[in-house]
Each structure stands twice: as structure tokens, then as C-alpha cells.
Amino acid sequence: MKTLEAQVITSEDLLKHWQGHRALTRRLIEIFPEKDFFEFSIGGMRPFAKLVDELLAIAAPALKGIVNRKSGPYTEAEEKLIFKAQYLEKWDEATAEINKYWEQLSVEDFSETFNLFGQYEFPIIQNILYFIDNEVHHRGQAYVYLRALNIEPPFFWER
């Protein structure tokens, strides 16, 4: 039987932290000009819409896989979104799904190993931290894009 070490952060606080990041990313999606959301890029990086496609393909689907202990391959949505409003709708749906599946995780689950997308065999906590890190990374790219477009992004700490 495994014993748990003392917690530094509770499951509820980790979800609040993640959802704070998601709320800030949503604000960036909102302030992006429609055309630039799909087309603007610097230095060969993908446009923000493509980065958001990746974020949508990871967060809720991966957490659902973790909770159900089903590891399918990584795939981005087959449905082609063509308006920023569709992305915002999908973002909100994913946020609700994350909350739903999060409630099904136990503290013990976080230390269990899970083979995410059949490729990344790590403890569940590391997978979840990857979801957050990946979003922060891509949001940083969006900050660069917005500044290049002479749009003042929100402060990164306003979560």
C-alpha cells in the first residue's frame, strides 16, 4: 500500500491555479483580432488558432482519459473551427469538462502512472503539470503576437 506524503498544494488549489491560467488564455483569445487569430505568425510559429487547437486537444480529452484510464492517441479535433467565437465556445466547454473530470480524481490518483496518449508514461501529477506548462508556453507566444500587433495584452499575473 502506498503512503501519501504531506501535500504542498491541495487538489482544489491546483485546479484553481489551472483554471486561472485557462481564464487568462481565454482573455487572450477574446482580444485577438479575428483575422490575426487565424493568420498572424512570427518566425514560422503557428498562428494562435492552431496553438489553441492543440490546447483544446490536450486538456479536457487527456484528463478524461486519465480519469477513465483509457489512453488513446493524440488527435486534434476533426471539426474545423472558422470563427473565434467557436473557439471561445469550445474553450468554455472544455473548462466545464475539466471541472467535471477533476471531481473524479482522488488524491491517490495523482501519484499513479498513466501512459498519456500512449506515449508519455508519467505520474498523473506530471501529466497535469505538463498541461498547464504547455498552455503557459503557447500563451507566451500569443503575448508576443499581440505586442507585435500593437495590442496591449493583460498582465500575466491577472488570473
Side-chain angles (χ1 to χ4, degrees), residues 81-139:
L81 306 178
I82 59 171
F83 297 108
K84 194 172 66 166
Q86 293 172 303
Y87 279 86
L88 291 167
E89 184 179 325
K90 292 293 184 190
W91 194 262
D92 293 342
E93 289 171 8
T95 297
E97 269 193 82
I98 289 166
N99 290 336
K100 172 185 153 188
Y101 288 110
W102 193 269
E103 291 176 6
Q104 298 175 51
L105 287 174
S106 70
V107 172
E108 293 81 11
D109 289 333
F110 288 94
S111 61
E112 288 185 21
T113 298
F114 181 74
N115 191 355
L116 184 67
F117 301 124
Q119 300 178 56
Y120 309 105
E121 184 114 13
F122 297 109
I124 288 170
I125 185 63
Q126 289 183 19
N127 286 319
I128 292 168
L129 292 173
Y130 165 76
F131 306 159
I132 298 167
D133 290 345
N134 188 52
E135 181 176 334
V136 170
H137 163 70
H138 288 316
R139 191 174 64 237

Side-chain angles (χ1 to χ4, degrees), residues 2-44:
K2 292 183 184 179
T3 60
L4 298 175
E5 294 183 26
Q7 280 187 284
V8 175
I9 186 171
T10 65
S11 173
E12 294 80 18
D13 285 340
L14 180 56
L15 176 61
K16 183 179 176 183
H17 176 79
W18 185 12
Q19 292 295 20
H21 280 292
R22 289 184 57 78
L24 181 54
T25 301
R26 188 188 195 289
R27 288 177 58 205
L28 263 64
I29 296 168
E30 286 176 326
I31 64 175
F32 242 89
E34 185 85 20
K35 182 177 187 289
D36 294 321
F37 180 71
F38 293 96
E39 297 176 7
F40 190 80
S41 128
I42 296 174

Side-chain angles (χ1 to χ4, degrees), residues 20 24 27 139 143 154-159:
L24 181 54
R27 288 177 58 205
R139 191 174 64 237
Y143 270 75
F155 294 115
F156 75 89
W157 60 83
E158 290 182 347
R159 293 182 270 141

